[in-house]
Amino acid sequence: MSAEEVKNVANDHFKRQEYDRAIELYTEAIEMDGSNAQLYGNRSIAYLKKEFFGYALGDASKAIELDKSYIKGYYRRAMAQMALNRFKLAVKDLETVVKYRPNDADAKNRHNECQKIVRRLAFERAIAVDEVKKSVAESIDLESMSISDDYDGPKLTDGRVTKEFMTQMMDYFKDRQKLHRKYAYKMILDARQLFAKDLTLVDVHIDEDQKFTVCGDIHGQYYDLLNIFQLNGLPSETNPYLFNGDFVDRGSFSVECILTLIGFKLLYPKHFFMSRGNHESQTMNQMYGFEGEVKAKYTSQMYELFAEVFNLLPLAHCINERVLVMHGGLFSTDTVTLDDIRTTDRNRQPPDEGIMCDILWSDPMPSKGRAPSKRGVGVQFGPDVTDTFCKLNKIDYIIRSHEVKPDGYEEAHSGKCITVFSAPNYCDTMGNKGAFITMKGSDLTPRFTTYSEVPHPNVKPMAYANSLFSFM
């Protein structure tokens, strides 16, 4: 087959949303004809779909280098720049697109929206002061929020979450009903206070005969979250859980997911744990729908309160001093210790480098050493890096999430790096299984349970996302 024929087959896989196979075939075509800008451009959009923004950026730049008139290259590079929060650079590329395609309404709209973001960010920097920013929590007046007599939903008991409340709320959400805003605000405020008391790295103790469950990304797939509880039992003092980040975005029931999770955190604070993921950030929430969903279902003020809660989420948990659990992965140097994680300032938006960035964004790779991240943020780390980290910190293995896996989990690096992903058929397109891990305190041996997606109401993923990012 010629490069053109391989490209056409790759395009068919792309149309069927089989992005991994499409990338493989575009790569094969590039090896046959490395001077074809369109091949790099096509692989770039496939990488965008996989959220490999670093690779997408590199391919788009290569396409432009090969053909300065290849307008799709500028467009796709702009998309990658936006995903990496580099809006000024995105504006420059979109200006080129608009210049050569003055009648392209979509490009004009994206250019205008991107310019607005650049201006807003510049304004925020200009008015920034050294004083501590006033918390939005201080401006919320619960007493002024009245509850009408016709509200038939779950109610807090003396302002507190109970087991009965949680059962009623989950059923209420399942029926597509909305929790009263007064109760939602109260839960978020209480969760904010609770997480503020946590350390950046939380030590978790499991008794020898106790089961402990670790779940990966949920991504707003509320009905699949309910299925986890159906399969594995509701959280309780005798059935503790850790949810390892990315509770929101993509899926369009993120509000229901996060309220359910913080509800269990409030009910069982010493037996229910939540780690921050890379999607518990304002940039990702703006792109992938959580901000829009909260505004649609409640208020912009509530989203700002959620953002404060996300800043306070722990970055990692260490189980019985032997298993480290964090969302992304390991670090750009071999010297990072658990104490370094403990002393990391987490109460902020994720930075572009350093311990907090790596722990939220990094991914394992099969080859030794380190490599630039396919995502454009964090690093890729090999089995030698994992082995060195485990030996330095005297732990047995790490658990991370962050990546879709066909079976919902993957054991890599001789079993010392385990990935768990709990959103089956991610975005209604990926066809993957979901999984969770259970272990006993006596041996901490991971046991995997896999499951398929369950039906959900006819609301598509990304239903609340900013139209600027509809390419995702």
Side-chain angles (χ1 to χ4, degrees):
M1 293 175 69
S2 67
E4 183 68 18
E5 290 170 326
V6 174
K7 182 198 76 173
N8 291 336
V9 177
N11 289 347
D12 290 337
H13 284 283
F14 182 89
K15 290 172 186 175
R16 293 196 295 269
Q17 300 178 323
E18 297 165 357
Y19 303 122
D20 287 327
R21 183 57 180 151
I23 288 168
E24 289 175 4
L25 290 167
Y26 289 136
T27 301
E28 184 180 324
I30 286 169
E31 290 170 353
M32 299 168 69
D33 181 5
S35 63
N36 188 325
Q38 190 178 38
L39 294 176
Y40 285 98
N42 286 10
R43 193 171 67 174
S44 178
I45 188 65
Y47 280 141
L48 283 171
K49 293 291 187 180
K50 290 285 293 180
E51 300 181 30
F52 296 169
F53 305 127
Y55 286 0
L57 182 65
D59 270 4
S61 294
K62 181 65 176 179
I64 294 166
E65 176 189 323
L66 290 170
D67 184 357
K68 295 283 194 298
S69 65
Y70 182 61
I71 302 305
K72 285 184 179 179
Y74 296 97
Y75 197 88
R76 285 161 189 172
R77 189 166 70 178
M79 300 302 102
Q81 299 284 23
M82 283 191 290
L84 293 169
N85 204 22
R86 301 168 185 169
F87 293 100
K88 276 189 177 180
L89 294 173
V91 165
K92 290 182 67 176
D93 280 333
L94 288 170
E95 283 174 354
T96 301
V97 177
V98 171
K99 177 181 176 181
Y100 287 98
R101 291 184 178 175
N103 296 322
D104 188 331
D106 183 66
K108 279 185 179 179
N109 289 336
R110 291 181 192 268
H111 178 253
N112 291 338
E113 286 298 314
C114 202
Q115 278 189 318
K116 288 179 184 177
I117 292 174
V118 170
R119 287 194 292 267
R120 175 175 60 78
L121 293 174
F123 176 74
E124 289 173 356
R125 286 193 296 269
I127 64 171
V129 292
D130 291 334
E131 301 173 14
V132 176
K133 182 182 176 182
K134 185 177 179 180
S135 167
V136 69
E138 298 174 25
S139 65
I140 295 169
D141 181 9
L142 288 175
E143 297 304 317
S144 68
M145 299 180 191
S146 59
I147 301 173
S148 61
D149 293 337
D150 61 354
Y151 174 70
D152 63 353
K155 299 177 181 179
L156 296 175
T157 302
D158 297 325
R160 296 171 58 190
V161 170
T162 63
K163 183 177 179 180
E164 292 73 24
F165 171 85
M166 289 302 300
T167 302
Q168 292 170 16
M169 185 179 73
M170 288 188 291
D171 287 342
Y172 205 59
F173 285 160
K174 188 176 181 180
D175 291 336
R176 309 252 343 249
Q177 302 296 310
K178 190 171 74 171
L179 181 68
H180 194 279
R181 66 186 182 111
K182 183 172 186 175
Y183 299 134
Y185 269 114
K186 181 66 166 64
M187 291 172 65
I188 304 166
L189 287 167
D190 288 350
R192 184 182 180 279
Q193 288 187 327
L194 201 57
F195 286 123
K197 298 174 184 176
D198 271 332
L199 300 176
T200 299
L201 189 157
V202 175
D203 288 295
V204 178
H205 176 75
I206 312 173
D207 291 336
E208 282 200 3
D209 60 347
Q210 185 178 50
K211 182 183 82 171
F212 190 80
T213 302
V214 180
C215 297
D217 302 40
I218 295 299
H219 275 301
Q221 296 184 197
Y222 178 69
Y223 295 83
D224 293 310
L225 173 61
L226 294 183
N227 188 42
I228 292 173
F229 295 148
Q230 181 71 32
L231 294 170
N232 195 53
L234 287 175
S236 69
E237 293 178 351
T238 57
N239 193 27
Y241 279 81
L242 164 57
F243 280 82
N244 195 28
D246 282 10
F247 324 117
V248 301
D249 280 340
R250 288 287 198 177
S252 297
F253 303 95
S254 292
V255 167
E256 291 79 2
C257 283
I258 190 64
L259 286 176
T260 298
L261 294 177
I262 66 173
F264 279 119
K265 178 63 179 177
L266 293 170
L267 184 57
Y268 305 114
K270 296 181 179 180
H271 300 87
F272 192 89
F273 305 93
M274 297 168 65
S275 290
R276 189 175 189 173
N278 65 302
H279 275 265
E280 277 70 58
S281 71
Q282 288 176 291
T283 299
M284 301 301 278
N285 295 162
Q286 181 187 43
M287 289 167 54
Y288 290 100
F290 182 59
E291 180 180 356
E293 183 180 342
V294 178
K295 288 179 177 178
K297 293 178 179 178
Y298 289 99
T299 65
S300 59
Q301 181 193 50
M302 184 178 286
Y303 173 72
E304 292 173 13
L305 184 60
F306 271 123
E308 290 187 2
V309 172
F310 291 165
N311 282 356
L312 295 170
L313 288 168
L315 298 182
H317 294 76
C318 192
I319 303 171
N320 286 7
E321 301 181 346
R322 290 173 51 196
V323 180
L324 184 68
V325 186
M326 68 288 200
H327 181 72
L330 296 180
F331 308 96
S332 54
T333 70
D334 282 331
T335 58
V336 175
T337 65
L338 299 187
D339 282 340
D340 291 329
I341 300 172
R342 287 189 178 95
T343 57
T344 297
D345 175 21
R346 73 184 189 278
N347 189 5
R348 54 180 171 155
Q349 290 301 301
D352 291 335
E353 59 183 8
I355 287 176
M356 183 174 179
C357 172
D358 292 342
I359 214 168
L360 294 175
W361 280 97
S362 292
D363 298 290
M365 63 180 185
S367 55
K368 289 185 176 182
R370 292 179 174 86
S373 171
K374 58 194 175 186
R375 302 174 190 268
V377 189
V379 297
Q380 293 186 89
F381 59 95
D384 54 327
V385 175
T386 301
D387 191 56
T388 298
F389 180 84
C390 289
K391 287 178 180 176
L392 175 66
N393 291 283
K394 298 178 181 177
I395 61 173
D396 296 347
Y397 63 93
I398 65 171
I399 297 175
R400 41 89 63 184
S401 301
H402 196 40
E403 286 185 287
V404 181
K405 297 297 177 182
D407 294 323
Y409 72 94
E410 180 182 76
E411 295 180 275
H413 299 179
S414 301
K416 291 185 179 181
C417 179
I418 296 174
T419 298
V420 59
F421 192 88
S422 300
N425 195 24
Y426 180 46
C427 293
D428 289 353
T429 61
M430 299 301 289
N432 60 289
K433 300 284 190 182
F436 55 80
I437 297 171
T438 55
M439 63 183 74
K440 287 288 185 69
S442 56
D443 60 7
L444 301 180
T445 300
R447 299 170 178 85
F448 305 97
T449 300
T450 63
Y451 49 90
S452 299
E453 77 276 15
V454 296
H456 64 75
N458 187 25
V459 182
K460 293 181 179 179
M462 301 283 284
Y464 300 95
N466 189 318
S467 60
L468 183 63
F469 305 103
S470 59
F471 68 94
M472 303 296 191

